[in-house]
Amino acid sequence: MTVLTAAPATGLHGHVRVPGDKSISHRALMLGALAKGTTTITNFLSSADCLSTLEALRALGVPITYTEQQVTVHGGGRLKPAHVALNMNNAGTATRLLMGLLAAQPFTSCLVGDASLSKRPMRRVSQPLAAMGAAIDLDAGHLPAVITGRPLKAIDYTLPVASAQVKSAILLAGLQAAGTTIVREALPTRDHTERMLKAFGVRLTVSADRQTIALPGGQPLIATPVAVPGDMSSAAFFIAAATIVPNSHIRLPQVGINPTRTGFLQIVRRMGGNIKVTPLESAGEPLADLEVTDTKLQPIDLAAADIPAVIDELPLVALLAAHANGVSHIHGAEELRVKETDRIQTIVSELRKLGVAIEAYADGFVIDGRKTSPITDAHVDSHGDHRIAMMLAVAALVADAPLELHDAAAMTVSYPDFLTDLERLCKGDLR
Ligand code: S3P
C-alpha cells in the first residue's frame, strides 16, 4: 500500500522531462527489427510494457543492445522462431502489433500475457489477419494466441472500432503482403505507425481526409535513427495536477504534440485551462514545450468524435470534471470497457470513494463537479491499471485526507518514476 498525500499550499512548481512515448517506443523496436541496418533509438521508454516488446524481439532472434541512454536494434528483416511462448505481460499494443508482424513470418509463435491482457479482445486483430491468409488460434477470442505465419495477400479493410492498434497490426502485415493493403477509418486514430514507416523509407499514401491509408506490400525498410518525443499521455498527469492544485506553475519540455494525441490539451483548454504550447524544431514527430498554470474549470461534453485523440487521458478528464463548476457528460467512450481494466467501472468506483458525484453510462460517464463531497473511503485501488494508479495519485493532491493506494506498482507499465517526478514538482525541486 502506497500512502499518497496532498500537495503543499504553494502548489506544483518547476519542470519535468517526461519519459519517451510508449506508442512510439514499441513501434521503433518493431520497425527496427524489420529494417535492413542498425536502428538507434534515443529517449526510449524504459517501462515494463516496452521492455516486454524488447524481450519478445530478442527471443525472435533480433540482436538488441539496451542501455537507458540508447537502444540499438540490429535489424535484418528476418525473424527466427522463438522456442518459448512470448510473454507480453500487460502490453496490449505490443501484443496486437506483434500479431501483425508475425502473421507473415514463416513459423509458429505463441503470445501470452498477464491476467488483464488475457481478458482483452484479440479477434479485432486476428479476424482481418486471417482474411489476409494468416493462421491465428485464440482461446475464445483471447490470449494465448498461436500464430502461424503464411504468405499474405493484401486486404481492403474498414476498421469496425476506432483503434490504432488494429490499424497498425494490419499495416505491419500489409507491409509483408502481396498487393496494396488499404485501411479505412471513420475517426482518425494515432498515426505513429504511418509516420514511422515513411521515416524508414516506405511509400504509403494517406487520403486528404485522413480516413484511408494505402500501403503497397513488399517494400524494404531502411534503418533510421528514432528520437522518441516525451509521452503526451504521461505529461497529461502533470497537466491535470498543475491545473487543479492552486498556485501551480510548471513546465514540461519536449513533449510530443502529434495532433492525433493532443485531444487532452484541447479539452483542458475548452474547460478553461491554462496551457501554453511552444512548438520546437524536430525532424520526426512534432514536439513542443508546455507550460501549465492552475485555473478554475468549466464542465465539458464529449462525444464519439472527440474520443480517439484523448482515449488514454479519459481518467484525467473525469478527475478534472470533478473539479469543474457544473455537469460534464462523456459519451462515445465504450472502448474504455476493454482497456487494461474496464476503465468506466474503475474510474467510477474509485472516484466515488473520493466523494465525486459520478454515474456510469454504457459508453462513458456523467459527473457533477458542484456536488463533490468529502472522502468516504481513503483506500483506493489501481486494479492493476497504470493510468488509474497515476490518476489517483493526482487526485490525492487535492483530497481532504491522505489516500492509501493499493497496487501503485502498476505505474511501472508506462512511467516507473512517476511518483518521484510528481513529488519533485510538489517540492518545487526543479525550479
Ligand atoms: C495505442 C493505441 C490505443 C491506446 C493505447 C496505445 C497504440 O489503443 O489506448 O494505449 O500505441 O497504438 P487502441 O488503438 O486499441 O484504442
Side-chain angles (χ1 to χ4, degrees), residues 296-309:
K296 294 269 172 277
L297 295 173
Q298 290 134 34
I300 191 143
D301 286 343
L302 299 183
D306 298 308
I307 301 302

Side-chain angles (χ1 to χ4, degrees), residues 279-300:
L280 303 170
E281 284 291 317
S282 79
E285 292 264 352
L287 268 186
D289 289 341
L290 309 180
E291 212 175 313
V292 188
T293 314
D294 62 289
T295 189
K296 294 269 172 277
L297 295 173
Q298 290 134 34
I300 191 143

Side-chain angles (χ1 to χ4, degrees), residues 257-409:
I257 52 157
N258 178 317
T260 60
R261 295 285 298 283
T262 48
F264 187 66
L265 294 186
Q266 270 125 42
I267 288 164
V268 176
R269 281 182 167 157
R270 275 163 65 191
M271 295 178 84
N274 202 333
I275 309 172
K276 188 172 156 207
V277 178
T278 308
L280 303 170
E281 284 291 317
S282 79
E285 292 264 352
L287 268 186
D289 289 341
L290 309 180
E291 212 175 313
V292 188
T293 314
D294 62 289
T295 189
K296 294 269 172 277
L297 295 173
Q298 290 134 34
I300 191 143
D301 286 343
L302 299 183
D306 298 308
I307 301 302
V310 68
I311 184 71
D312 291 338
E313 289 67 69
L314 289 169
L316 288 170
V317 172
L319 179 63
L320 294 184
H323 291 271
N325 172 32
V327 183
S328 298
H329 303 267
I330 314 301
H331 278 297
E334 60 275 8
E335 274 295 299
L336 287 182
R337 298 251 179 226
V338 291
K339 292 295 178 189
E340 284 81 335
T341 53
D342 173 342
R343 283 190 179 151
I344 294 180
Q345 198 180 309
T346 46
I347 289 169
V348 169
S349 74
E350 300 314 302
L351 287 185
R352 271 199 186 147
K353 294 178 187 170
L354 305 184
V356 175
I358 179 168
E359 298 288 336
Y361 293 133
D363 65 345
F365 36 82
V366 52
I367 294 177
D368 189 341
R370 295 164 310 189
K371 292 201 180 143
T372 302
S373 53
I375 291 180
T376 57
D377 182 356
H379 296 88
V380 289
D381 194 336
S382 73
H383 297 272
D385 184 330
H386 57 130
R387 299 201 197 277
I388 299 296
M390 291 185 277
M391 181 273 279
L392 290 168
V394 175
L397 299 177
V398 285
D400 49 17
L403 302 184
E404 290 192 12
L405 173 62
H406 184 76
D407 203 354

Side-chain angles (χ1 to χ4, degrees), residues 23 27 93 96 124 162-165 190 311-312 339 387:
S23 295
R27 287 159 170 83
T93 304
R96 295 192 174 117
R124 51 179 58 196
S163 168
Q165 294 180 355
R190 65 191 69 193
I311 184 71
D312 291 338
K339 292 295 178 189
R387 299 201 197 277

Side-chain angles (χ1 to χ4, degrees), residues 90-173:
N90 195 246
T93 304
T95 302
R96 295 192 174 117
L97 270 60
L98 264 187
M99 283 169 73
L101 197 147
L102 291 170
Q105 298 288 321
F107 51 80
T108 297
S109 309
C110 176
L111 301 182
V112 298
D114 69 7
S116 152
L117 185 57
S118 302
K119 282 194 217 134
R120 298 183 66 185
M122 295 297 156
R123 273 199 193 111
R124 51 179 58 196
V125 179
S126 67
Q127 275 172 348
L129 295 179
M132 297 174 82
I136 302 184
D137 278 335
L138 298 171
D139 181 357
H142 300 101
L143 294 185
V146 178
I147 303 152
T148 302
R150 300 252 171 84
L152 301 181
K153 52 186 187 314
I155 191 173
D156 182 336
Y157 192 70
T158 301
L159 293 182
V161 282
S163 168
Q165 294 180 355
V166 178
K167 172 176 67 175
S168 301
I170 297 170
L171 291 176
L172 290 177

